[in-house]
Amino acid sequence: MKVGREACVASLVVSVFILLWMGMVRVEATPFRKFLPHALYGRRGPSLSHDYRDALTKSILFYEGQRSGKLPLNQRMRWRADSALSDGAAEHVDLTGGYYDAGDNVKFGFPMAFTTTMLSWSVLEFGGRMGDNLDHARAAIRWATDYLLKATAHPGVIYVQVGDPNMDHKCWERPEDMDTPRNVYKIDAEHPGSDIAAETAAALAAASMVFRATDPTYSGHLLQTAMRVFDFADKHRGAYSDSLQSEVCPFYCSYSGYNDELLWGAAWLQRASRNVSYISYIQSNGQNLGAEDNVNIFSWDEKHAGARVLLAKEVLLRNSKSLQEYRGHADNFICSLLPGTQNSQAQYTPGGLLFKMSDNNLQYVTSTTFLLFTYAKYLTVSKQVVRCGNIIATPTRIRTLAKRQVDYILGDNPLGMSYMVGYGAKFPEHVHHRGSSLPSIYQHPRIIPCNDGFQSLYSNAPNPNRLVGAVVGGPDNNDRFSDERNDYAHSEPTTYINAPLVGSLAYLAHSSYA
Ligand SMILES: *[C@@H]1O[C@H](CO)[C@@H](O)[C@H](O)[C@H]1NC(C)=O
């Protein structure tokens, strides 16, 4: 074939363009990307955009891997099977269902309730942006609320935990094989637990709004139960870890006490019920419950920051006069997170990740990020900004910080790795999780007893079952992560790392695909 000079030049130009284009892509892609100054893409946002919708789908799918009890036919996480079908038998009650909190097989009620509250809040703020994922998110909430309704079915008693954590932690067993003691722990008027009771009330109240339109009967039952449980929490004051010391500490000890949960619970009840008695409660008790305390961490234990944002909504969107002070409290919380403001208290890693604690740091990142997106939403709707000294924090500025955190989790970080299992090209393969690290019961039907499982804990092989969507504890303060199964402080997923991330991903999924 005769090729003319013009065609030759044209194909040369095209080739050069293709090479240039490939070069750009390669620089942006890992591992070259790590040589780019993070401040650059920290400010502008990453130039490779993430598939937030995929991440959202996976973040919800994760909850199927944590399910306890009889699994439904539509279970998508196929390597799991039924487990703990006699939970509650020790007390002659039905306590089957609910979630294992993390990589073990204990049903800890305190983090389960907080997880439920945050999944519900995610749906309440950003459910309209979830598309096909909304039904799955509701199912993830209902898996928890069905259990919490069982745990609160008998007035005057709340079942707060199933499984002896000390015995459970001595074994490395699949939930399906579990033969450790399924002790049942409870609180009552003589052994109070205002922390876990008020968090359970918050969870039921928040979930009642999730189901209000789709299942009003269920929703009403959730709200009535929430009111009764909150009343119990308030009337019988005490920390559940006082009477259940060796069963809940050091696992989910109530370190911060119960004042934060009482304020948070009342905030949820006022939003869900619109009963003015909760506003009066907050007005007369807020100060004693630490409304003004300078706390800038938000977690399964410490809820003040969440309560501030939730109550500031009443000021910003409903013009509440009686809750006016919470606008200021919420603003202060936001300012404390923004780098460069005079009351900034936040630390960031060199790679740009909010850093609170060396153990399981990503739980604080996802919870804080959700509050940032949520507050930015309230500010946008009310056409307000936050003033941090001389710096004005617009909703855009707040969202940029929040998006940076999500992008870090999904792979825009010095290691170029995603901290969500099954998302992106490189993600944790040695997750600290019994079920995920042992062969599936469908591959290996014979029981793997307590001690035999430890071979899997210490093995270098990747987990045989992918716990898709699980976000692990994450990197250290220097952006390092070793992906070692025995390093539970960094390699263990938990239900409460994912719960607020679901909301943030829904926001971003919609924004990039709209
Ligand atoms: C409002 O809440 C209070 C306290 O829980 C309760 O006694 C009262 O019946 C509630 N009112 C309505 C209208 O539900």
Side-chain angles (χ1 to χ4, degrees):
M1 193 170 78
K2 186 166 179 280
V3 180
R5 177 189 290 259
E6 291 81 350
C8 228
V9 169
S11 70
L12 196 69
V13 169
V14 168
S15 309
V16 166
F17 266 100
I18 288 174
L19 282 171
L20 276 174
W21 177 77
M22 284 171 64
M24 275 160 59
V25 170
R26 286 189 47 192
V27 169
E28 284 302 302
T30 56
F32 301 96
R33 146 165 258 167
K34 70 176 165 226
F35 299 116
L36 294 178
H38 60 81
L40 185 76
Y41 56 93
R43 201 161 42 241
R44 289 189 193 159
S47 16
L48 270 189
S49 106
H50 285 285
D51 189 345
Y52 299 111
R53 185 164 294 186
D54 180 44
L56 171 64
T57 303
K58 288 171 174 164
S59 70
I60 300 170
L61 181 58
F62 157 71
Y63 287 93
E64 296 195 7
Q66 299 303 113
R67 282 174 168 174
S68 180
K70 178 130 195 75
L71 301 186
L73 290 173
N74 63 4
Q75 168 85 9
R76 295 171 296 165
M77 194 83 85
R78 301 299 295 181
W79 49 269
R80 282 292 324 281
D82 299 349
S83 63
L85 296 179
S86 309
D87 275 5
E91 282 272 327
H92 310 288
V93 286
D94 173 15
L95 292 174
T96 57
Y99 290 115
Y100 304 118
D101 68 305
D104 56 19
N105 301 328
V106 182
K107 294 197 302 208
F108 290 101
F110 198 27
M112 201 197 305
F114 178 65
T115 297
T116 311
T117 312
M118 294 311 296
L119 274 176
S120 299
W121 201 0
S122 288
V123 166
L124 293 174
E125 299 298 344
F126 304 113
R129 297 164 177 257
M130 286 184 182
D132 300 345
N133 282 304
L134 181 56
D135 280 343
H136 291 303
R138 285 204 195 98
I141 293 166
R142 197 161 182 147
W143 195 266
T145 48
D146 283 350
Y147 174 83
L148 294 176
L149 287 173
K150 292 177 183 177
T152 53
H154 305 273
V157 176
I158 300 179
Y159 295 99
V160 296
Q161 186 167 313
V162 185
D164 176 338
N166 295 297
M167 298 301 283
D168 181 277
H169 289 183
K170 288 191 180 125
C171 292
W172 194 264
E173 287 184 310
R174 302 178 291 204
E176 293 84 357
D177 285 341
M178 198 185 358
D179 52 5
T180 46
R182 299 302 286 172
N183 297 358
V184 171
Y185 305 100
K186 65 183 175 189
I187 57 167
D188 56 29
E190 284 74 47
H191 312 89
S194 304
D195 30 36
I196 189 165
E199 183 62 61
T200 303
L204 296 170
S208 78
M209 285 182 275
V210 170
F211 295 104
R212 191 170 281 163
T214 52
D215 191 342
T217 310
Y218 189 68
S219 166
H221 184 37
L222 290 170
L223 184 57
Q224 290 309 313
T225 311
M227 292 173 80
R228 168 167 61 75
V229 170
F230 182 78
D231 194 49
F232 176 81
D234 186 42
K235 289 226 166 68
H236 306 286
R237 293 209 184 180
Y240 88 131
S241 25
D242 287 348
S243 56
L244 294 169
Q245 180 72 31
S246 62
E247 292 82 10
V248 306
C249 301
F251 316 101
Y252 293 101
C253 209
S254 182
Y255 299 103
S256 77
Y258 53 79
N259 285 337
D260 54 323
E261 279 87 13
L262 286 175
L263 186 62
W264 166 247
W268 275 109
L269 275 155
Q270 80 78 29
R271 180 163 163 183
S273 72
R274 292 291 171 216
N275 178 327
V276 290
S277 71
Y278 296 107
I279 303 255
S280 319
Y281 178 92
I282 292 164
Q283 279 183 295
S284 31
N285 295 286
Q287 205 170 350
N288 288 338
L289 297 178
E292 292 163 20
D293 292 2
N294 183 20
V295 187
N296 77 340
I297 199 155
F298 181 41
S299 71
W300 58 264
D301 188 30
E302 172 51 76
K303 323 287 165 41
H304 278 118
R308 291 175 181 187
V309 169
L310 195 58
L311 292 171
K313 181 187 180 188
E314 301 302 311
V315 182
L316 289 166
L317 274 73
R318 299 170 63 93
N319 227 346
S320 164
K321 295 281 178 287
S322 33
L323 296 171
Q324 198 64 38
E325 62 178 291
Y326 289 92
R327 163 82 207 269
H329 297 328
D331 281 7
N332 289 343
F333 170 69
I334 300 296
C335 294
S336 78
L337 293 165
L338 289 184
T341 62
Q342 65 195 41
N343 29 10
S344 173
Q345 299 171 6
Q347 269 186 53
Y348 290 85
T349 67
L353 182 69
L354 177 67
F355 192 80
K356 287 283 179 193
M357 301 263 182
S358 54
D359 286 15
N360 192 356
N361 183 57
L362 287 185
Q363 68 174 307
Y364 309 109
V365 177
T366 59
S367 64
T368 306
T369 298
F370 177 82
L371 293 185
L372 291 172
F373 276 123
T374 299
Y375 206 55
K377 176 185 163 183
Y378 300 161
L379 293 169
T380 301
V381 176
S382 58
K383 301 192 168 58
Q384 297 280 313
V385 295
V386 174
R387 287 173 204 284
C388 308
N390 296 332
I391 294 178
I392 293 184
T394 60
T396 304
R397 184 170 185 150
I398 295 169
R399 282 193 194 100
T400 302
L401 175 61
K403 180 174 183 294
R404 177 74 192 97
Q405 302 305 306
V406 175
D407 288 341
Y408 184 110
I409 292 172
L410 295 181
D412 294 348
N413 55 60
L415 294 179
M417 77 177 289
S418 148
Y419 288 96
M420 177 186 285
V421 174
Y423 179 88
K426 185 177 164 196
F427 51 80
E429 299 271 12
H430 304 85
V431 175
H432 182 95
H433 190 278
R434 286 161 175 74
S436 170
S437 69
L438 289 157
S440 163
I441 195 157
Y442 296 112
Q443 303 300 318
H444 188 293
R446 240 175 332 113
I447 188 166
I448 304 173
C450 171
N451 286 319
D452 293 10
F454 282 104
Q455 285 176 35
S456 291
L457 172 62
Y458 300 120
S459 129
N460 286 327
N463 286 17
N465 310 304
R466 207 166 263 176
L467 186 62
V468 172
V471 176
V472 297
D476 68 10
N477 60 347
N478 265 311
D479 304 295
R480 290 171 302 211
F481 178 74
S482 54
D483 194 12
E484 282 167 27
R485 195 175 291 112
N486 202 23
D487 179 10
Y488 60 86
H490 304 101
S491 292
E492 189 168 15
T494 70
T495 56
Y496 45 91
I497 301 179
N498 274 51
L501 184 62
V502 166
S504 298
L505 287 171
Y507 174 80
L508 291 168
H510 181 84
S511 305
S512 53
Y513 283 85

